[in-house]
Amino acid sequence: MTSNQRRWRLLALIGPIIALALLAGCGDDDASVTAGADETTDDGGAPLPIDTAALTESTWVLRFGGGPDGEVPIVDGWPITITFGDGTVGGTAACNGYGGTYSIDGSQLIIGDLGWTEMGCQPDVQASEAAFLAALTDVDGITLTGDELALSGPATELIFGPTEPAPVDDLIGQLWLLEALIANAEE
């Protein structure tokens, strides 16, 4: 993890605490300030809704994060992704695929029926995957701000960004040569 990622992670973890401390010192004595999955303001209003169109139009790749098992190491060449569909969530957990169901209520994220494949992986990739899956099962909150998706839980903070589009310009207008053709794979 780079020093910028550490700074952003630290800011993401302590920023809300600092904001709450500042808010607690301001305003009138009757205002109640609470933080959690259900309230984000002291006016009793509902949390800002998640833009589900923006959430579901992209596959998100983990930039950095941590969970109950500590930091989620990111291994080059083994991305951790998440994609939200119509009530379904899934992606790659470095080596294996995972999937389940989800629902969103305000800023609360409920992931259910989570399962994953169990293909053997290299030890560093397996460690990354295990840390991510432990963090994902701890998630109960979601925020989407611009191009940053944050999933959070009691011991978890996962920060995702949208995946980069495929380099279509590198494929169009090229002359391609077929080197092999498998006509009947059953033989």
Side-chain angles (χ1 to χ4, degrees):
M1 180 180 293
T2 67
S3 62
N4 272 346
Q5 289 174 325
R6 282 189 204 100
R7 278 187 223 121
W8 279 108
R9 182 175 178 201
L10 181 60
L11 184 59
L13 293 174
I14 67 169
I17 295 169
I18 293 170
L20 285 173
L22 291 173
L23 286 173
C26 301
D28 55 84
D29 293 335
D30 294 297
S32 65
V33 179
T34 59
D38 295 329
E39 290 187 15
T40 58
T41 64
D42 67 341
D43 64 1
L48 295 174
I50 298 295
D51 180 355
T52 54
L55 179 68
T56 59
E57 72 185 16
S58 185
T59 294
W60 302 87
V61 64
L62 185 67
R63 291 181 178 161
F64 58 93
D69 292 348
E71 181 180 338
V72 177
I74 298 175
V75 180
D76 286 340
W78 298 91
I80 295 173
T81 64
I82 193 165
T83 303
F84 291 87
D86 186 22
T88 61
V89 62
T92 57
C95 180
N96 287 288
Y98 69 92
T101 60
Y102 81 96
S103 62
I104 297 175
D105 183 11
S107 62
Q108 183 179 19
L109 173 65
I110 301 161
I111 297 177
D113 301 324
L114 191 62
W116 51 87
T117 59
E118 295 183 353
M119 181 174 66
C121 309
Q122 301 161 342
D124 58 338
V125 176
Q126 193 76 36
S128 173
E129 179 170 284
F132 170 70
L133 291 171
L136 189 60
T137 59
D138 185 56
V139 165
D140 62 7
I142 184 170
T143 57
L144 178 59
T145 308
D147 67 347
E148 183 175 280
L149 170 66
L151 304 182
S152 59
T156 298
E157 189 72 29
L158 300 170
I159 307 297
F160 294 84
T163 55
E164 297 297 322
V168 175
D169 291 341
D170 294 342
L171 301 174
I172 297 174
Q174 299 293 323
L175 180 61
W176 296 93
L177 175 65
L178 179 65
E179 293 184 2
L181 177 65
I182 300 173
N184 189 354
E186 293 181 23
E187 289 184 0

